[in-house]
């Protein structure tokens, strides 16, 4: 119930206005977001790099309403690629982009606008030596997003796809995505989806995660295991061993600010670990989804509404 209420709040313009205007202490946002500027994100990326970890940078923003806004978001992603290159961090970096922020929902032309914009970011990334991953949003965008990735992979074979195991369709999608070199991020899924398209009980979601994991680990692609769940991380490690995978042939991914000790532990064991580093001032939807995932985070957030620091 609480999770659904928070996910509904994540989509509400009125609540967004109220929350973003509230005198939030900076540390509630800073716990999950690197900062408002690309310099903030680069500082975090450098610190993670120094600890032997990789990053994917996400310039926050979703649901673009016109082509100019989509262009602005695209330029911001390209600028972050250029700054990664200048700072010498591009080789260990990935850029995450959201199709709706790049124009996917702009009417009949939306899919083409989003595809062209993702291609602009992917082209800049190719020149700089980093990669791009296309985040997955709510289920109304799944088919178009996977189509976009499929089409662009002929020019950018390392373009990353994301699959959400809470969707009933995803096991089949994993089968389609196990081609050689195919970079696939497996997540549970962060949106409020109807029963008709998604598993809603957590044990069903976990079982689906393991089925998808089996397919991806046995396939020829490059699985990116994006979870903080200790049990699923352990199963991923066991499946990697079982399938004879080296540490170089898959990676773990976690969100900035969540289980940093576990991120360091895995990296210390020689595993590839990539941290998803969001930055920018449009943090509301991202923060609400993180709160929905964990009641302990909600307590922290509510306390900060009354304790300014
Ligand atoms: P879940 O939230 O169910 O937690 C499972 C267990 O993990 C907990 O019981 C606890 O043991 C541990 N845990 C979790 N949070 C913890 C904390 N703060 N402290 C200590 N332990 C904690 N979603 C999406 O829809 N589209 C996308 O493109 C992406 N992209 C993405 C990238 C990356 C790198 C990550 C890690 C995640 C995403 N997600 C996403 C979000 C994803 O769908 C999901 O909502 C979150 O990862 C939370 O799910 P978990 O798998 O971590 O398990």
């Amino acid at each position: 119930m609480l999770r659904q209420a928070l996910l509904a709040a994540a989509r509400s313009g009125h609540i967004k206005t109220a929350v973003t205007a509230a005198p939030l202490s900076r540390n509630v946002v800073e716990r999950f977001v690197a900062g408002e500027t690309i310099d903030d994100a680069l500082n975090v990326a450098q610190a993670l790099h120094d600890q032997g970890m990789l990053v994917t940078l996400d310039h926050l923003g979703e649901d673009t309403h016109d082509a100019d806004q989509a262009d602005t978001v695209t330029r911001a992603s390209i600028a972050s690629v250029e700054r990664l290159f200048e700072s010498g961090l591009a080789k260990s970096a990935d850029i995450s982009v959201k199709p709706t922020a790049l124009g996917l929902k702009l009417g009949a032309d939306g899919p083409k606008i989003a595809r062209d914009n993702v291609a602009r970011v992917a082209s800049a990334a190719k020149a700089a030596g980093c990669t791009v991953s296309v985040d997955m949003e709510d289920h109304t965008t799944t088919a178009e997003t996977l189509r976009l990735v499929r089409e662009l992979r002929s020019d950018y074979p390392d373009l990353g796809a994301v699959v959400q195991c809470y969707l009933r369709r995803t096991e089949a999608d994993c089968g389609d995505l196990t081609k050689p070199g195919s970079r696939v991020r497996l997540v549970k899924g962060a949106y409020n989806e109807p029963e008709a398209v998604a598993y809603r009980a957590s044990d069903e979601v976990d079982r689906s995660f393991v089925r998808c994991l089996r397919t991806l680990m046995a396939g020829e692609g490059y699985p990116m295991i994006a979870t903080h769940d200790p049990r699923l991380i352990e199963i991923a490690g066991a499946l990697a061993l079982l399938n004879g995978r080296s540490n170089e042939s898959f990676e773990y991914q976690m969100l900035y600010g969540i289980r940093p000790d576990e991120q360091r532990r895995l990296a210390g064991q020689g595993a590839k670990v990539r941290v998803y580093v969001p930055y920018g001032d449009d943090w509301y939807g991202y923060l609400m989804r993180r709160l929905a995932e964990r009641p302990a985070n909600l307590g922290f957030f509510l306390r900060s509404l009354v304790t300014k620091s």
Side-chain angles (χ1 to χ4, degrees), residues 4-307:
Q4 280 158 33
L6 285 163
L7 289 175
R11 312 291 300 173
S12 158
H14 294 306
I15 300 178
K16 175 177 180 175
T17 307
V19 169
T20 49
L24 279 180
S25 65
R26 282 194 64 76
N27 64 4
V28 68
V29 181
E30 282 170 3
R31 163 134 183 225
F32 300 107
V33 175
E36 297 205 339
T37 68
I38 180 66
D39 288 310
D40 296 328
L42 289 173
N43 287 338
V44 168
Q46 184 66 58
L48 290 165
H49 177 80
D50 294 346
Q51 296 172 73
M53 288 183 265
L54 310 164
V55 292
T56 184
L57 296 191
D58 170 37
H59 181 250
L60 290 166
E62 36 205 278
D63 281 350
T64 289
H65 299 295
D66 60 57
D68 286 346
Q69 197 185 346
D71 181 61
T72 303
V73 177
T74 306
R75 285 172 192 273
S77 292
I78 293 172
S80 63
V81 168
E82 289 165 356
R83 293 295 308 279
L84 278 166
F85 181 73
E86 286 160 18
S87 58
L89 288 167
K91 290 271 182 290
S92 60
D94 180 75
I95 296 287
S96 283
V97 292
K98 284 200 168 39
T100 63
L102 268 53
L104 188 73
K105 286 194 169 170
L106 298 179
D109 291 339
K112 182 178 178 325
I113 294 171
R115 193 179 59 231
D116 291 350
N117 286 336
V118 175
R120 288 166 64 197
V121 181
S123 164
K126 190 175 178 179
C130 60
T131 53
V132 176
S133 297
V134 183
D135 280 359
M136 191 57 82
E137 302 172 85
D138 73 68
H139 80 278
T140 63
T141 66
T142 308
E144 279 299 348
T145 300
L146 289 177
R147 181 173 311 139
L148 177 158
V149 171
R150 236 184 353 259
E151 287 173 5
L152 288 179
R153 274 186 170 177
S154 52
D155 288 330
Y156 308 101
D158 59 6
L159 186 66
V162 179
V163 286
Q164 300 154 316
C165 75
Y166 66 10
L167 293 186
R168 296 176 192 275
R169 58 172 286 161
T170 295
E171 224 183 312
D173 289 333
C174 286
D176 293 340
L177 284 162
T178 56
K179 308 280 180 309
S182 169
R183 295 172 63 246
V184 186
R185 181 196 301 157
L186 174 63
V187 301
K188 286 189 183 178
Y191 297 80
N192 195 13
E193 301 291 16
E195 175 100 46
V197 298
Y199 304 111
R200 294 178 60 104
S202 62
D203 59 330
E204 281 187 307
V205 174
D206 289 358
R207 279 200 295 274
S208 174
F209 196 101
V210 175
R211 289 194 299 275
C212 294
L213 202 48
R214 280 209 177 95
T215 304
L216 295 176
M217 283 295 196
E220 296 183 89
Y222 179 84
M224 304 186 281
I225 318 304
T227 181
H228 313 97
D229 194 320
R231 212 157 48 106
L232 296 176
I233 290 171
E234 206 180 318
I235 293 172
L239 285 172
L241 273 180
L242 203 69
N243 287 285
R245 279 186 174 270
S246 70
N247 279 340
E248 291 305 304
S249 71
F250 71 104
E251 68 187 41
Y252 297 99
Q253 297 191 346
M254 293 189 210
L255 301 176
Y256 175 68
I258 302 189
R259 302 199 71 204
D261 293 348
E262 177 65 359
Q263 295 169 12
R264 285 189 287 269
R265 186 188 73 82
L266 288 167
Q269 288 183 345
K272 278 172 90 171
V273 178
R274 188 178 302 277
V275 181
Y276 187 104
V277 178
Y279 72 96
D281 53 14
D282 195 0
W283 44 260
Y284 174 78
Y286 180 85
L287 183 67
M288 294 308 269
R289 287 195 293 278
R290 301 295 77 81
L291 296 180
E293 278 154 17
R294 198 164 166 85
N297 293 343
L298 184 63
F300 178 71
F301 173 71
L302 292 174
R303 272 196 305 282
S304 81
L305 281 171
V306 288
T307 348

